Amino acid sequence: MGSSYDEVKNALDVPSEFVFIILLPMLAFPLILYLGMKFNGQKFWKENLKEGGLVALPVMAASLVLSLVLIRRFINETSVSDTSTVFSWANFAWFTEGATTEISLYSLNFGLYVDHVTVMLLFVASFLCLLINIFSIGYMNTDEVNDNKNHRFYAEFVLFCSGMLGMVLSDSFLWLFIFWELMGLCSYLLIGFYYDKPSAAYAAKKAFLTTRVGDVFLVIGLAMLWNLFQPYASGGDALAFATVFDHSNLQMLADAGKQGALQLALGFMFIGAVGKSAQFPLHVWLPDAMEGPTPVSALIHAATMVNAGLYLVARMFPIFGDSAMMGEFSDLAFIIALVGGITACMAALIAFVQMDLKKVLAYSTMSQLAYIFTGLGAALWLANSLDWGEYPNKGIVVVAFGAALFHLFNHAMAKGMLFMASGSVIHEMHHAHHDLHHHHHDDDHHDDHGDDHHDDHFDAQSMANMGGLASRLPITATAMFVGSASIIGIPLIGGFWSKEGIIANTWRVAVEHDPRFYIPAFLVLITAGMTGFYMSRMWFMTFAGKPKTEVAEKVHEQTPWIPIPLLVLIPMSLAGIVFASLKSTYFLGYKGYKLGEDGLLEGFLYEMDHIFVNPGTNYLLVLTYIAIFLSMVLGPCAAMALHGGRLDEGQKAKPWMQWAVTLSGKLNDKYSFAGWAEKMSESSFGEALRQRLYFDKYYDMAMMKIVAGFSNLSASFDKNVVDGFAIKTIIEKGGQDSSRIIRSITTGSARDYIMMVAVGTLAIAILLWGVN
Amino acid sequence: MLVSGLSAILFVMGLWGAFTRKNAIIVLMCLELMLNAANLQFVAAGVYHGDTAGWIYTVFAIAIAAAEVAIGLAILLSVFNQHETIRLDDINLLRN
């Protein structure tokens, strides 16, 4: 029955000017670098153009506008009917070999591929890139450490954005990979922005090399995929989506018995995604990547790079869903879900003990991405194993896939905001510390040596130095509050809708189909509660209670530009309810669904009914309430009891946060499990969590053993064989010996030469005579 | 056959002289002797095969030999001007 994506061929043309979504930022890259090198230090460049920030801004704005036009056109042209074309592309011949003959031997085209997944990620990427650009102007340009370096930041930033937009829009796994690597390069450059700081240089190297491990497997996977589809590509790009997703191609592969090879290829590609999205066991780079400036953290961890891995897995959906491959890939789908489940739980555990504000967010990112992987694993399992052409299976598959993608959307919005809010906290802490420090300095010594405030021992990122900021940073606190609520999954706010969907669908697969899925299903359910704990812990440690340092008392919101993206993203995170009512899960999972076709109110009532009252089966209903209890009640209350507290006398937070602060104060007074918490923290388990479960240690050890062993071996080969034998014996000694011999022949006496000529001639004569 | 044998004797005489003599002029003369041995051989072979090509080669070789002698003598003259000697054993600048 027709569960396939073969309507892909009825292509609708995307006007090729939309390629400027990618090209504009790519062209801005050399422009900003050039202008920066030319005008660094000049006033108009620093003041009026913000060292390139205001060159990047219109470019990113133009990209966003073009993206929105494309998205609008896509949504409008999607008709309601099931078989209609929801797919479109524009094609640019890049180079073609043998084009004069009738069938070209090989051609490499670049095309734009637009479908529901593209549209969602395109919006996420271009929207967040613009906001992060605005944020950067506030964050980077007000810190004198960055003076005359910012053009490098903005240049790398726009190149990174063009990499992400290109990856989302490209129409072939090959181009996807090319842009993927472009992003990898830019993330290396951006994480190592403060390359003179050893820890930053180390973190950049670590991020680059760890993702490279995954990328090696991705290349292997792509090569295998190329090999499989080459016979059916008819001279074109064998990795083009149009070739790979084609039902008849997949059918021919299935008839040839190549399902196992295809699963292996997809599995290798999944390892690439694991590296890029920082999943177990290639997750170690992400926390260290926090060495980069905060806008970079927001860019890499929320908007773009970590989503690339998810996008790659989501792109495999048509292959999993094709009827030719039915039931063949359930193992791979399970592995995807399992990796997700393990990472979700592990990252949440490690996040319990992190004191660095940005590192909590980094682990939270890992955990939430793992949720999406689990959701995708479940959706891929369902798509692969069910005959989903008909009702009700179709609805199940669509909602499972859509829920995972919807969580990607919600998480990107919330986490982008959280990172920018954390940047705001850190920035204002820096400022307060600097003012305080500078002030004392002037009083005591009266010298003008401006200290570099990065050099002293005050850690502006540590939550141990914060506390009580809710009243001092009202906009930031609100943004953190809403973002945390969305990540935790407080009912009716952003992440709730999608997270419920992921948990429910994983359980559905486990209970109804494949008992192996009980492992990821349990893990994601527990993680819901743990998310509630660590996100609340972060918020209450930072914003509630009394200020823990003198610096925290002096903090206030003063930097321009920074609040703008926060104010834009707060409603975006809260708007999850609107997107849910528009039935975004259907739109994202289902090619034929038109966004909001059922009407906003009906959609809202349908979703409410579907989650709280009648989710189909009883166990799903029980599950929903367990998840809500864990994430909304148990986790946050435990965090409040441990880390909550009232603000100082006379300080008052905004009313929508004040109740939480007061509640946390009450809970903290009544049950502060201080002794127990201390005991836990001092136990070997607490220590293991602080050491990030020793992953880095053991990876380092393994690397030392394997890599250092191999290096020593090749070093000794170089020393003994190449230098010792080849160079010393053959080249050096042989050269000396042969020149000594030749010198003894060169007597300088004409008679000897005549003799040599005669003997030589005689020898030639004898040789010729012998030959004849 | 007889002429071929004569030519061989002439060639060996020339070679012997070139090896043993120390005076550069005499070495040059010995070289001429060898050249003319070759010419004789050409003519003999031409007669033997009834082919005029051997004679034509001879005419060319005589012309070239004349030029060679002129150059060789000129070199020896300038060597004598430089070194006051044309003893081959004393002329080994490249070696030292």
Side-chain angles (χ1 to χ4, degrees):
Chain A
M1 232 356 261
S3 54
S4 75
Y5 260 56
D6 54 1
E7 59 266 42
V8 154
K9 272 192 235 149
N10 312 325
L12 191 88
D13 282 334
V14 178
S16 51
E17 58 262 25
F18 284 113
V19 80
F20 280 104
I21 296 173
I22 311 163
L23 273 186
L24 281 176
M26 197 174 271
L27 294 174
F29 163 68
L31 180 72
I32 295 174
L33 269 188
Y34 174 75
L35 290 177
M37 272 150 62
K38 206 163 155 113
F39 297 120
N40 250 347
Q42 293 187 23
K43 194 163 176 293
F44 83 97
W45 173 248
K46 195 164 159 49
E47 301 292 326
N48 300 352
L49 288 177
K50 301 282 181 198
E51 295 196 32
L54 289 183
V55 180
L57 192 64
V59 169
M60 295 320 299
S63 268
L64 175 62
V65 169
L66 272 174
S67 304
L68 288 176
V69 172
L70 181 61
I71 291 166
R72 200 183 130 79
R73 188 173 292 191
F74 174 80
I75 289 175
N76 286 343
E77 282 174 5
T78 305
S79 73
V80 187
S81 126
D82 179 21
T83 53
S84 72
T85 302
V86 199
F87 158 85
S88 34
W89 68 358
N91 220 331
F92 308 91
W94 214 257
F95 75 83
T96 310
E97 197 184 301
T100 45
T101 58
E102 231 167 87
I103 305 162
S104 63
L105 293 171
Y106 178 71
S107 67
L108 186 60
N109 296 327
F110 179 70
L112 302 179
Y113 181 99
V114 181
D115 70 355
H116 40 199
V117 185
T118 311
V119 160
M120 189 270 288
L121 260 156
L122 186 64
F123 176 70
V124 168
S126 52
F127 183 64
L128 282 176
C129 282
L130 178 71
L131 292 181
I132 293 166
N133 193 333
I134 296 172
F135 175 79
S136 306
I137 295 173
Y139 188 90
M140 301 295 288
N141 292 55
T142 51
D143 198 340
E144 64 261 34
V145 184
N146 302 326
D147 278 355
N148 297 336
K149 290 180 192 159
N150 281 326
H151 69 288
R152 191 155 56 78
F153 172 80
Y154 288 112
E156 287 159 7
F157 174 85
V158 288
L159 189 63
F160 189 98
C161 295
S162 99
M164 182 64 190
L165 296 168
M167 193 206 72
V168 168
L169 281 170
S170 57
D171 72 332
S172 140
F173 280 115
L174 187 67
W175 282 99
L176 188 152
F177 177 70
I178 290 169
F179 285 113
W180 171 289
E181 288 300 321
L182 185 65
M183 261 196 291
L185 168 72
C186 292
S187 94
Y188 169 75
L189 294 172
L190 286 170
I191 294 169
F193 182 70
Y194 300 117
Y195 55 80
D196 42 8
K197 215 164 95 187
S199 59
Y202 173 77
K205 215 161 51 185
K206 186 167 174 181
F208 193 69
L209 291 178
T210 314
T211 48
R212 218 52 42 211
V213 174
D215 289 351
V216 169
F217 287 100
L218 178 57
V219 171
I220 296 172
L222 288 177
M224 288 173 71
L225 203 65
W226 178 284
N227 220 9
L228 287 169
F229 284 96
Q230 182 61 45
Y232 315 120
S234 64
D237 180 358
L239 293 175
F241 295 155
T243 310
V244 177
F245 299 161
D246 187 65
H247 174 63
S248 56
N249 288 349
L250 287 166
Q251 189 63 54
M252 281 190 271
L253 272 182
D255 293 342
K258 296 272 179 62
Q259 296 95 329
L262 189 55
Q263 174 163 253
L264 199 62
L266 295 177
F268 278 131
M269 287 163 68
F270 169 64
I271 298 178
V274 165
K276 207 68 158 181
S277 291
Q279 298 296 295
F280 169 84
L282 296 177
H283 61 276
V284 290
W285 64 270
L286 198 125
D288 290 293
M290 293 299 147
E291 285 294 336
T294 306
V296 173
S297 309
L299 189 68
I300 291 173
H301 299 88
T304 48
M305 203 174 88
V306 288
N307 290 339
L310 298 166
Y311 175 73
L312 181 68
V313 174
R315 265 281 160 261
M316 299 174 187
F317 182 76
I319 307 175
F320 276 77
D322 198 282
S323 55
M325 293 294 162
M326 197 160 136
E328 296 290 344
F329 301 151
S330 53
D331 289 339
L332 181 57
F334 168 67
I335 290 170
I336 294 172
L338 183 67
V339 167
I342 291 173
T343 316
C345 197
M346 183 195 74
L349 268 176
I350 299 177
F352 277 12
V353 296
Q354 294 299 318
M355 290 308 287
D356 186 314
L357 186 57
K358 275 168 77 182
K359 287 206 169 141
V360 177
L361 290 176
Y363 281 106
S364 158
T365 306
M366 268 162 65
S367 183
Q368 297 305 310
L369 293 174
Y371 258 103
I372 304 168
F373 266 117
T374 313
L376 282 176
L380 292 175
W381 195 96
L382 290 166
N384 188 236
S385 301
L386 298 182
D387 183 1
W388 59 285
E390 300 296 322
Y391 186 83
N393 283 349
K394 185 155 197 159
I396 291 172
V397 173
V398 160
V399 168
F401 190 54
L405 292 176
F406 191 33
H407 199 55
L408 198 166
F409 177 85
N410 286 329
H411 170 256
M413 292 297 156
K415 197 50 71 65
M417 178 166 74
L418 283 169
F419 267 114
M420 285 192 258
S422 80
S424 169
V425 173
I426 294 163
H427 199 69
E428 303 302 359
M429 288 285 284
H430 261 316
H431 265 287
H433 174 64
H434 193 242
D435 290 348
L436 207 63
H437 195 77
H438 204 69
H439 190 67
H440 284 313
H441 219 82
D442 278 357
D443 282 355
D444 296 341
H445 303 290
H446 296 284
D447 65 358
D448 295 343
H449 290 114
D451 285 47
D452 180 4
H453 54 270
H454 284 271
D455 283 348
D456 50 43
H457 295 299
F458 181 73
D459 185 357
Q461 302 196 7
S462 172
M463 293 192 291
N465 294 329
M466 298 172 184
L469 301 182
S471 56
R472 294 173 175 89
L473 299 171
I475 299 174
T476 310
T478 310
M480 279 274 200
F481 196 68
V482 173
S484 303
S486 175
I487 298 287
I488 293 169
I490 301 291
L492 308 191
I493 294 178
F496 167 74
W497 305 92
S498 44
K499 196 183 265 190
E500 283 302 317
I502 288 174
I503 294 175
N505 285 306
T506 318
W507 277 87
R508 186 198 298 278
V509 179
V511 174
E512 292 177 14
H513 304 287
D514 188 344
R516 289 181 297 181
F517 269 75
Y518 273 117
I519 308 169
F522 265 114
L523 287 172
V524 290
L525 185 61
I526 299 166
T527 309
M530 302 197 323
T531 312
F533 178 77
Y534 71 73
M535 290 307 290
S536 311
R537 168 179 176 272
M538 180 198 77
W539 197 87
F540 286 106
M541 276 184 93
T542 312
F543 293 105
K546 317 261 179 290
K548 298 186 191 88
T549 52
E550 202 187 346
V551 175
E553 283 173 19
K554 298 271 183 280
V555 166
H556 58 111
E557 264 165 1
Q558 54 174 0
T559 316
W561 296 87
I562 286 183
I564 301 171
L566 299 179
L567 290 173
V568 174
L569 278 170
I570 290 170
M572 274 311 279
S573 287
L574 290 171
I577 188 163
V578 178
F579 290 116
S581 303
L582 288 169
K583 291 182 129 181
S584 298
T585 43
Y586 282 82
F587 171 70
L588 291 171
Y590 184 28
K591 294 183 66 134
Y593 190 81
K594 195 167 170 153
L595 199 59
E597 96 184 33
D598 290 347
L600 207 58
L601 186 62
E602 285 80 358
F604 177 68
L605 291 176
Y606 173 83
E607 289 288 337
M608 293 295 278
D609 176 63
H610 207 69
I611 286 185
F612 293 109
V613 185
N614 182 23
T617 43
N618 287 333
Y619 71 89
L620 286 180
L621 192 65
V622 175
L623 208 61
T624 306
Y625 287 105
I626 293 177
I628 292 175
F629 171 74
L630 284 175
S631 61
M632 190 182 146
V633 182
L634 195 63
C637 286
M640 282 192 222
L642 274 170
H643 300 290
R646 288 187 187 82
L647 298 176
D648 273 339
E649 294 295 320
Q651 294 280 352
K652 202 157 162 50
K654 292 273 187 258
W656 51 84
M657 297 179 289
Q658 183 59 42
W659 65 270
V661 175
T662 315
L663 178 66
S664 78
K666 275 186 195 146
L667 279 170
N668 186 264
D669 292 344
K670 210 163 180 186
Y671 336 82
S672 93
F673 311 99
W676 180 78
E678 208 164 297
K679 228 164 85 188
M680 273 305 281
S681 162
E682 278 164 11
S683 70
S684 61
F685 185 61
E687 182 57 27
L689 288 181
R690 265 193 295 280
Q691 298 296 323
R692 309 162 173 190
L693 295 174
Y694 300 110
F695 271 108
D696 296 76
K697 199 177 150 196
Y698 286 115
Y699 280 5
D700 276 356
M701 256 167 66
M703 283 299 135
M704 283 315 281
K705 284 246 159 63
I706 299 168
V707 177
F710 184 74
S711 303
N712 283 337
L713 198 71
S714 38
S716 79
F717 179 83
D718 188 57
K719 218 178 206 158
N720 298 325
V721 180
V722 177
D723 284 359
F725 179 71
I727 305 272
K728 270 225 173 65
T729 313
I730 300 182
I731 298 183
E732 191 183 311
K733 201 160 178 300
Q736 282 177 356
D737 288 353
S738 56
S739 63
R740 201 172 299 123
I741 293 166
I742 291 169
R743 245 171 57 183
S744 69
I745 305 172
T746 318
T747 55
S749 150
R751 217 173 308 133
D752 294 339
Y753 296 146
I754 294 169
M755 178 72 113
M756 276 179 225
V757 171
V759 171
T761 315
L762 195 67
I764 290 170
I766 289 169
L767 274 176
L768 285 175
W769 180 59
V771 168
N772 289 335
Chain B
M1 273 316 277
L2 195 72
V3 184
S4 271
L6 184 65
S7 130
I9 291 165
L10 265 180
F11 186 84
V12 172
M13 278 169 67
L15 195 60
W16 178 257
F19 280 156
T20 52
R21 293 303 166 140
K22 286 177 178 133
N23 191 319
I25 304 253
I26 294 179
V27 171
L28 205 61
M29 286 159 66
C30 291
L31 290 182
E32 283 303 306
L33 209 58
M34 285 195 284
L35 209 62
N36 283 313
N39 284 343
L40 206 55
Q41 186 64 33
F42 268 130
V43 176
V47 170
Y48 181 76
H49 293 294
D51 187 349
T52 50
W55 306 348
I56 295 165
Y57 273 119
T58 310
V59 174
F60 276 109
I62 288 169
I64 290 165
E68 179 239 312
V69 169
I71 292 170
L73 285 175
I75 290 170
L76 288 180
L77 202 62
S78 76
V79 166
F80 185 78
N81 284 343
Q82 293 279 324
H83 299 276
E84 303 275 311
T85 175
I86 50 169
R87 270 175 64 93
L88 281 179
D89 291 352
D90 297 341
I91 306 168
N92 51 2
L93 262 181
L94 279 179
R95 173 70 182 173
N96 303 318

